Amino acid sequence: MTRFLVLSGLLLAIGAYGVMTRRNAICTLLGLEIMLNAGNLNLIAFSRVSPSPAVGQTFVLFSIGIAACEAAVGLALILAMWRRYRTVDIDKLVSLKE
Amino acid sequence: MLMSQRDAGDLIFILGFALVGVAAPAALLFIGRWLRPSSPGKVKMEPYECGLPQASPPRRLFRIRYYAFALLFVIFDVETVLLFASAPVLKRFGAAGLWSVGAFVALVTLALVYAWRMHLLEWE
Amino acid sequence: MGAGDILFFLAAAVSIAAAVVAVTDERLLHSVLAFGVFLFAIACAFLIMGAEFVAVAQIFVYVGGVAVLILFGVMLTASRGAQRTVETEHPMWAMVCALVLAGTLIAVAAAYRPATAVQSRAVDVSLLGNALLGPQLVGFELIGLILLASVIAALAVVRREPGR
Amino acid sequence: MMVTLATSVVWAVGLFVVAALSVMLGVYLERKVAGHMQARLGPMRTGPHGIAQTLADTVKLLFKEDLIPGKVDRLGFIVAPLLAFAPALMSLMVIPYARPFVPRDLNAGVLYFLAVPAIGVIAVMVAGLSSANNYSLLGGLRSAAQLISYEIPRSLSVLSVVMLAGSLSTVTILERQTHVWFAVLTPIGFALYIITTIAELNRTPFDLPEAEAELVGGYHTEYSGLRWAFFMMAEYAGFFAASAFGAAVFLGGGNGPLLPPIVWFVIKTYAIILFMMWVKWTVPRFRIDQVMTLSRKVLIPVALLNLAVTAVVMQYV
């Protein structure tokens, strides 16, 4: 049980590092998905100790569904950004500053 | 580490099949390495453009219809998984279950109708 | 060293390695491939924990949906080349934050002792269906709503603005 | 643990041999059926009636040079054919061939069978993306778009069988079909499954991306020799897997009077295969926009209606 929590903690940290360092918007989306998966791992680990594991697993199904929606909308933003600025490099998104 | 024998067996089978699925073709490719001639001439290394020298580096086209298709696919993917979870027990829940799953399917079909009316299903 | 232990270390090692490669690899195509391997390893971890339907659902939705979506994004935005996609000005600080985060999470995880014993019997699909249509019915309907909302939102963002 | 690993590898290698034989038989049948339908004979020279034709092809491919062009992304280029073939073999795991021959009966077997081809979609995109060539990129995008838009109606058509059988495990579905086949109970579901499988396998009339006239070679333009052969092998192995699954889930593979179950299973599988070949040589190829819009505007609504009708009828019958 604790081994799964340790694993998901590590994965969350890796995902966070990815989101923080990558300049490419698609890699940020990737890092975000890694963090979400770490969360799902935790949900399942705790569902095994809960009185009704089936309910815990429905949470993970919902979380997978929401993560898929989030990836879809995130990609829509990236494509809109690509069409407007012809780059997916987040550091170039500074037009608000001007 | 508590793990039911059944799941361990399933996982070992899935990994075994994946392993053989990747290893067998790789082995064939590796064996073929000695049987095959290998003389990469300059022209052969060029990407294939019906014989003409490469006109332009692969430029990217941007069509939103590709994205609209991928988006609807992901949304219906999630719906299909949830329907697969609820399908086996639908009979047990009687009319109430029918109405609830019906409402869920109606909501997602609304998304399809919306994309249809916004003319995003056409492949112009 | 029962079967579960070996399988767990295998899945854990592959998922961590794939996540690290996905996060640090220069070439975008390699990091997306590593992401695919990562998702498959997480599906195996779910199976180790007895959540069989969730493992297959993960392969169906994540590997079949999200990874394909991200590959579509890579294809449509010409960001395939090897141009530098890493290195903000100060990656060291990000490393420090990540390590601190990992440290606290692992400390909390190690300290936690579950109240009840871990049940190892797998959850049958019909049990999951009963839970989904029974107590979790509200969530089930809300997910439909979220799917609808995200389609409308995504298409609104991407569609060419007729107004301008 | 080691014993199960050994049995799984033995099953996997056995099914790899079965898949390879069915690929050879499939290619041979394809050319003979095509020939006889067009009032010609198809391959005749190699062996009686050209039996050894595909064997000759395989040997030729083993000796043919396969090239990795210069500006190509080596990892993606090498990994793509392996990723294309692996799901075909993995999906053979859950098909209940006949009573004694059931490799592994997963609780969520049907969903596993529908989930694994998604790795094939990734392989197609990686192949298109990693060979630095406009045609293969376009081909990769197009065939990926086609594959994903036909995966949804295919899953929904199989879902109606799951609803009737009340379980996701393929063996239970098989046992529920001893009296009446599910193809009889959900004819629309079966028809949808056949149509979407033809589209999923990129076979005519849905084979736009590799159509000779269209895009040179589609996503595998840059491939040659044995590496190219794996894309073909993946297609025909997937063809066999999809027909075997259709036979098992819709036509009650293995249940039948007189003959032993394994013979019934082979008869039903090859009935579906021959039907798809028959369709290939009679129906003209669709245009790209017809292919793309057909799935969203026609197949998904029909599949959802079929589900609704099945659910209501099942409730009150």
Side-chain angles (χ1 to χ4, degrees):
Chain A
M1 168 73 180
T2 54
R3 57 177 70 181
F4 278 103
L5 302 185
V6 167
L7 174 64
S8 81
L10 273 173
L11 290 178
L12 191 80
I14 295 172
Y17 177 78
V19 169
M20 284 187 269
T21 52
R22 295 298 282 245
R23 290 196 342 201
N24 185 331
I26 292 180
C27 294
T28 326
L29 199 61
L30 228 57
L32 215 57
E33 291 299 326
I34 292 177
M35 289 163 74
L36 279 167
N37 271 307
N40 289 347
L41 213 59
N42 251 350
L43 267 175
I44 289 283
F46 280 110
S47 85
R48 277 161 55 106
V49 254
S50 73
S52 65
V55 174
Q57 288 182 12
T58 49
F59 289 161
V60 177
L61 281 183
F62 294 153
S63 144
I64 287 177
I66 294 175
C69 293
E70 179 268 333
V73 175
L75 196 65
L77 294 174
I78 292 174
L79 291 185
M81 177 172 107
W82 162 258
R83 193 172 42 177
R84 181 69 178 70
Y85 296 103
R86 270 286 169 256
T87 166
V88 278
D89 188 338
I90 306 173
D91 295 352
K92 301 265 189 329
L93 278 184
V94 290
S95 60
L96 287 183
K97 260 194 228 165
E98 286 126 23
Chain B
M1 166 59 195
L2 280 171
M3 181 177 177
S4 71
Q5 269 320 323
R6 193 183 152 65
D7 291 330
D10 291 347
L11 182 54
I12 292 171
F13 255 73
I14 292 177
L15 292 180
F17 269 71
L19 191 72
V20 172
V22 173
L28 277 177
L29 274 171
F30 192 70
I31 292 167
R33 187 175 293 279
W34 287 292
L35 301 175
R36 296 192 298 262
S38 166
S39 56
K42 165 87 182 54
V43 175
K44 274 198 239 180
M45 296 302 272
E46 280 296 315
Y48 178 72
E49 293 228 356
C50 313
L52 308 170
Q54 186 160 28
S56 66
R59 54 158 185 73
R60 296 293 176 275
L61 47 301
F62 177 68
R63 294 280 184 283
I64 67 158
R65 62 173 183 268
Y66 285 121
Y67 172 71
F69 275 71
L71 167 70
L72 277 175
F73 165 66
V74 171
I75 301 300
F76 275 98
D77 227 13
V78 174
E79 181 211 7
T80 312
V81 163
L82 286 169
L83 284 181
F84 263 104
S86 58
V89 290
L90 206 52
K91 197 164 173 58
R92 222 167 293 163
F93 280 83
L98 215 55
W99 282 107
S100 47
V101 172
F104 174 72
V105 170
L107 276 172
V108 185
T109 319
L110 215 58
L112 180 68
V113 167
Y114 172 80
W116 196 331
R117 287 196 54 77
M118 306 295 279
H119 302 302
L120 282 151
L121 295 191
E122 271 76 21
W123 187 276
E124 82 283 347
Chain C
M1 282 298 277
D5 298 332
I6 298 171
L7 290 175
F8 167 75
F9 287 124
L10 193 71
V14 167
S15 60
I16 290 178
V20 165
V21 168
V23 154
T24 50
D25 197 307
E26 279 285 310
R27 299 184 59 97
L28 196 54
L29 185 64
H30 296 181
S31 59
V32 174
L33 275 175
F35 180 62
V37 172
F38 167 78
L39 292 175
F40 192 75
I42 292 288
C44 295
F46 283 157
L47 196 58
I48 290 173
M49 287 197 268
E52 186 172 351
F53 183 83
V54 173
V56 179
Q58 155 104 351
I59 295 179
F60 189 74
V61 172
Y62 257 109
V63 176
V66 173
V68 167
L69 201 67
I70 289 180
L71 268 170
F72 258 100
V74 167
M75 276 179 152
L76 290 180
T77 56
S79 46
R80 178 182 63 80
Q83 82 271 28
R84 304 197 49 69
T85 61
V86 191
E87 257 57 70
T88 52
E89 291 71 24
H90 31 69
M92 279 320 296
W93 286 110
M95 177 68 84
V96 166
C97 297
L99 286 178
V100 164
L101 179 65
T104 44
L105 286 174
I106 290 170
V108 167
Y112 173 69
R113 286 291 168 273
T116 62
V118 173
Q119 309 138 339
S120 81
R121 57 157 183 67
V123 175
D124 187 63
V125 180
S126 55
L127 261 174
L128 187 62
N130 286 338
L132 201 59
L133 288 182
Q136 297 300 319
L137 188 58
V138 175
F140 187 69
E141 304 301 339
L142 279 182
I143 279 287
L145 207 61
I146 292 175
L147 291 177
L148 174 61
S150 61
V151 164
I152 294 175
L155 294 185
V157 163
V158 168
R159 216 160 40 78
R160 202 163 290 283
E161 301 76 17
R164 230 158 24 115
Chain D
M1 154 129 172
M2 278 307 146
V3 172
T4 28
L5 188 63
T7 40
S8 83
V9 170
V10 162
W11 264 113
V13 170
L15 284 173
F16 178 76
V17 169
V18 166
L21 289 179
S22 67
V23 164
M24 285 200 194
L25 190 60
V27 171
Y28 171 71
L29 270 180
E30 184 97 68
R31 298 169 72 161
K32 288 304 271 188
V33 163
H36 288 295
M37 269 193 202
Q38 296 154 5
R40 57 181 171 80
L41 292 177
M44 291 297 278
R45 209 163 281 106
T46 48
H49 276 290
I51 295 279
Q53 178 60 38
T54 23
L55 196 62
D57 289 347
T58 325
V59 169
K60 173 205 81 177
L61 280 174
L62 266 175
F63 285 88
K64 214 168 148 216
E65 176 189 19
D66 79 28
L67 202 56
I68 301 187
K71 294 194 286 297
V72 136
D73 177 310
R74 288 188 73 86
L75 178 75
F77 196 82
I78 291 167
V79 158
L82 306 182
L83 278 183
F85 182 76
L89 187 70
M90 283 166 78
S91 56
L92 288 175
M93 180 177 101
V94 277
I95 299 174
Y97 300 100
R99 191 57 49 227
F101 302 107
V102 183
R104 190 71 196 182
D105 167 28
L106 287 179
N107 275 344
V110 171
L111 193 62
Y112 174 83
F113 182 84
L114 294 166
V116 164
I119 303 176
V121 175
I122 291 182
V124 160
M125 296 178 96
V126 165
L129 206 51
S130 60
S131 30
N133 165 333
N134 275 350
Y135 294 111
S136 47
L137 183 83
L138 253 171
L141 262 175
R142 267 195 186 180
S143 60
Q146 175 182 331
L147 286 177
I148 58 173
S149 41
Y150 280 92
E151 226 174 282
I152 297 297
R154 186 177 187 215
S155 317
L156 292 176
S157 67
V158 179
L159 188 61
S160 57
V161 169
V162 166
M163 225 183 256
L164 284 168
S167 136
L168 278 168
S169 115
T170 43
V171 174
T172 332
I173 290 177
L174 194 62
E175 276 143 15
R176 297 266 158 77
Q177 287 183 59
T178 41
H179 314 297
V180 61
W181 294 347
F182 280 133
V184 172
L185 291 179
T186 58
I188 304 172
F190 184 49
L192 265 174
Y193 178 78
I194 296 291
I195 295 170
T196 43
T197 305
I198 293 178
E200 237 353 77
L201 299 170
N202 274 347
R203 289 177 62 80
T204 321
F206 294 98
D207 69 344
L208 252 301
E210 295 110 24
E212 295 72 18
E214 295 282 330
L215 272 169
V216 183
Y219 56 88
H220 41 70
T221 320
E222 292 297 338
Y223 285 87
S224 56
L226 200 57
R227 233 181 282 280
W228 171 82
F230 280 125
F231 283 108
M232 289 305 119
M233 202 168 157
E235 186 191 323
Y236 277 95
F239 189 17
F240 173 74
S243 315
F245 184 78
V249 166
F250 282 99
L251 302 176
N255 305 340
L258 303 179
L259 302 172
I262 193 71
V263 173
W264 268 116
F265 180 81
V266 169
I267 289 172
K268 289 173 186 164
T269 309
Y270 276 90
I272 294 181
I273 286 180
L274 288 175
F275 175 75
M276 287 195 194
M277 288 184 182
W278 179 31
V279 164
K280 178 177 175 118
W281 296 104
T282 44
V283 180
R285 181 175 294 141
F286 294 155
R287 271 201 331 268
I288 180 77
D289 56 333
Q290 288 166 332
V291 166
M292 286 306 171
T293 49
L294 173 73
S295 99
R296 300 288 156 108
K297 295 193 171 179
V298 175
L299 291 185
I300 289 187
V302 165
L304 289 175
L305 274 178
N306 175 38
L307 277 180
V309 165
T310 321
V312 168
V313 162
M314 198 179 67
Q315 207 64 62
Y316 297 112
V317 151

